[in-house]
């Protein structure tokens, strides 16, 4: 099956040497916050300078979760058990009760992960042993006057790959979301897939403008400009445009909490001719409705994969985005195994993604 082959899959494709979103900046106060990154417990906190920091959530002294601690007046994270204190880099700075010697010693340090705050999110570098390279994914700016934003999170019972595929898979929208999203009169559209720096993009041509099942007639000439994109390691992006009428960019940031649980933040930035205050509640209500249907089927899919003790896939040419995501994730993991800092398109031995065009109905 060329680059869309389904053999050799396994559940966890997790490239580590990338930036992952871990929480919204507004959620990280002076109170430490626990989160997992593919089952690795981390504690996030703000140091004395207000900077977001991330340490492994285990006190080197006696294994107490550091996330149960507090931030001391000196900006160090203080363990709740015996009060050892750690600075933002994880260095042990104080051992209460000790009258001699220096608190600092490498064995008493808590391993740290690099952090970055960008676009209102706290990003953590996935590999504590390797210095970060590059920047976190940049959210798109909508410069149109009166543009609005809606952000909502959702925890999904599924793998990172399943969540990414679901976000970007068009064929299921006409079936699972029939009547809500698509699923009116069948319309023939063309999908054109190309590899782009750091990911893959599919452009859809010929979809009549409409909302839910209510669409302009095919052939009326009024169509959406529509792109779906995946960027390594965990970003899905859906963009719709009708020049002069609307632009919607839904960027979905994913955090793999564990092999079978994935957190997603939907960051919907939009501009329409209607005021943002009118559009916002519609986007939110419709988005949540669609998401409930996705969450239900993903959880059932996940449960079945576990019941059968593994995954099995049979694809057609319509599965062009899910298979591309899988290939790119696998390539990134392979590049790390080979010792590269991070994967770049075409770097590893995996075949390149071919330019592909598919015609189908939705
Ligand atoms: S377990 Fe943290 S100070 Fe003892
Ligand atoms: Fe969906």
């Amino acid at each position: 099956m060329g680059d869309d082959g389904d053999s050799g899959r396994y559940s966890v494709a997790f490239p580590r040497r990338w930036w992952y979103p871990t929480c919204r900046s507004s959620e990280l106060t002076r109170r430490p916050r626990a989160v997992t990154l593919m089952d690795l417990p981390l504690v996030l906190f703000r140091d004395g300078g207000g900077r977001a920091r991330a340490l492994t959530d285990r006190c080197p002294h006696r294994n107490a979760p550091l996330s149960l601690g507090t931030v001391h007046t000196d900006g160090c994270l203080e363990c709740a058990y015996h009060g050892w204190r750690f600075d933002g880099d994880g260095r042990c700075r104080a051992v209460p009760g000790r009258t001699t010697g220096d608190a600092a010693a490498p064995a008493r340090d808590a391993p740290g992960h690099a952090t970055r705050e960008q676009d209102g999110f706290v990003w953590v570098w996935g590999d504590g042993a390797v210095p970060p390279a590059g920047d976190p994914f940049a959210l798109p700016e909508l410069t149109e006057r009166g543009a609005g934003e809606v952000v909502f999170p959702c925890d999904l019972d599924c793998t990172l790959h399943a969540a990414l595929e679901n976000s970007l898979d068009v064929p299921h929208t006409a079936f699972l979301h029939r009547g809500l999203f698509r699923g009116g009169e069948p319309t023939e559209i063309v999908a054109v897939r190309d590899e782009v720096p750091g990911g893959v993009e599919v452009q859809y041509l010929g979809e009549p403008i409409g909302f839910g099942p209510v669409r302009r007639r095919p052939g009326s000439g009024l169509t959406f400009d529509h792109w779906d994109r995946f960027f390594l390691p965990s970003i899905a992006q859906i963009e719709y445009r009708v020049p002069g009428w609307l632009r919607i960019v839904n960027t979905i940031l994913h955090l793999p909490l564990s092999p079978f649980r994935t957190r997603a933040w939907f960051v919907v930035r939009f501009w329409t001719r209607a005021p943002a205050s009118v559009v916002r509640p519609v986007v939110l209500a419709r988005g949540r409705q669609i998401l409930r249907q996705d969450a239900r089927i993903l959880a059932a899919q996940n449960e079945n994969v576990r019941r059968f003790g593994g995954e099995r896939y049979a694809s057609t040419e319509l599965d062009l985005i899910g298979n591309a995501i899988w290939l790119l994730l696998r390539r990134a993991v392979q590049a790390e195994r080979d010792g590269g800092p991070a994967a770049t398109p075409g770097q590893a031995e995996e075949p390149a993604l071919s330019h592909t065009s598919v015609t189908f109905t939705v």
Side-chain angles (χ1 to χ4, degrees):
M1 283 185 65
D3 64 27
D4 287 344
D6 284 331
S7 61
R9 285 202 178 182
Y10 53 99
S11 300
V12 185
F14 173 55
R16 287 187 177 275
R17 294 172 201 162
W18 297 84
W19 292 103
Y20 285 91
T22 53
C23 72
R24 295 187 75 183
S25 289
S26 57
E27 293 172 316
L28 186 58
T29 57
R30 290 274 291 200
R31 196 151 159 224
R33 188 179 170 86
V35 69
T36 57
L37 173 61
M38 198 53 100
D39 273 344
L40 173 69
L42 294 173
V43 54
L44 308 176
F45 71 102
R46 290 199 184 277
D47 64 16
R51 203 173 138 197
R53 313 303 293 250
L55 304 178
T56 304
D57 194 10
R58 173 162 73 161
C59 181
H61 180 219
R62 288 294 183 269
N63 298 285
L66 289 171
S67 53
L68 296 181
T70 49
V71 178
H72 194 266
T73 47
D74 63 3
C76 285
L77 178 57
E78 184 178 72
C79 179
Y81 197 178
H82 307 87
W84 286 25
R85 294 204 298 276
F86 306 89
D87 67 17
D89 294 322
R91 303 245 180 290
C92 182
R93 294 293 180 197
V95 175
R98 239 169 141 242
T99 55
T100 55
D102 192 355
R108 296 181 202 139
D109 293 346
H113 284 241
T115 56
R116 211 46 99 64
E117 277 195 82
Q118 186 181 291
D119 294 322
F121 282 84
V122 177
W123 301 78
V124 170
W125 182 251
D127 191 338
V130 173
D135 297 316
F137 180 82
L139 284 169
E141 288 293 335
L142 262 62
T143 48
E144 292 87 347
R145 225 175 123 205
E149 181 188 82
V150 172
V151 182
F152 53 100
C154 182
D155 281 2
L156 299 161
D157 286 310
C158 66
T159 63
L160 172 63
H161 177 263
L164 287 163
E165 177 175 52
N166 173 262
S167 295
L168 299 176
D169 170 63
V170 166
H172 88 278
T173 59
F175 197 81
L176 182 70
H177 307 306
R178 182 185 291 144
L180 256 186
F181 198 154
R182 294 192 174 88
E185 213 170 305
T187 310
E188 198 168 279
I189 62 172
V190 177
V192 181
R193 186 187 74 185
D194 278 297
E195 192 159 349
V196 295
V200 61
E201 178 180 270
V202 181
Q203 184 173 10
Y204 296 89
L205 307 165
E207 183 166 12
I209 290 171
F211 192 61
V214 183
R215 304 249 156 200
R216 297 295 296 245
R217 289 190 96 56
S220 66
L222 294 167
T223 57
F224 281 118
D225 294 331
H226 171 193
W227 297 266
D228 285 352
R229 306 180 184 104
F230 162 67
F231 297 103
L232 281 162
S234 68
I235 312 296
Q237 189 174 71
I238 302 156
E239 176 164 1
Y240 282 97
R241 272 193 228 176
V242 181
W245 284 90
L246 68 84
R247 184 173 174 214
I248 301 174
V249 189
N250 180 10
T251 307
I252 309 155
L253 315 178
H254 296 88
L255 168 67
L257 296 165
S258 68
F260 295 103
R261 194 153 169 86
T262 301
R263 182 163 294 163
W265 288 271
F266 295 75
V267 184
V268 188
R269 294 184 169 174
F270 58 88
W271 170 85
T272 70
R273 286 170 72 135
S277 57
V278 173
V279 177
R280 188 175 287 110
V282 178
V283 170
L284 199 55
R286 186 56 66 112
R288 287 198 168 128
Q289 240 176 330
I290 292 168
L291 188 53
R292 266 197 295 277
Q293 294 176 328
D294 283 324
R296 214 176 299 134
I297 197 72
L298 284 168
Q301 176 197 41
N302 202 40
E303 180 56 28
N304 225 20
V305 166
R306 299 173 92 159
R307 269 195 319 174
F308 280 93
E311 297 154 297
R312 189 169 144 179
Y313 297 92
S315 299
T316 74
E317 66 282 8
L318 268 59
D319 298 297
L320 79 173
I321 191 83
N323 287 347
I325 294 168
W326 181 253
L327 187 83
L328 292 173
L329 282 172
R330 195 171 59 180
R331 185 194 281 171
V333 169
Q334 188 58 46
E336 288 180 5
R337 279 205 200 107
D338 294 344
T344 52
Q347 182 189 36
E349 284 174 13
E350 296 284 355
L353 278 173
S354 56
H355 167 86
T356 308
S357 177
V358 180
T359 303
F360 60 104
T361 58
V362 289

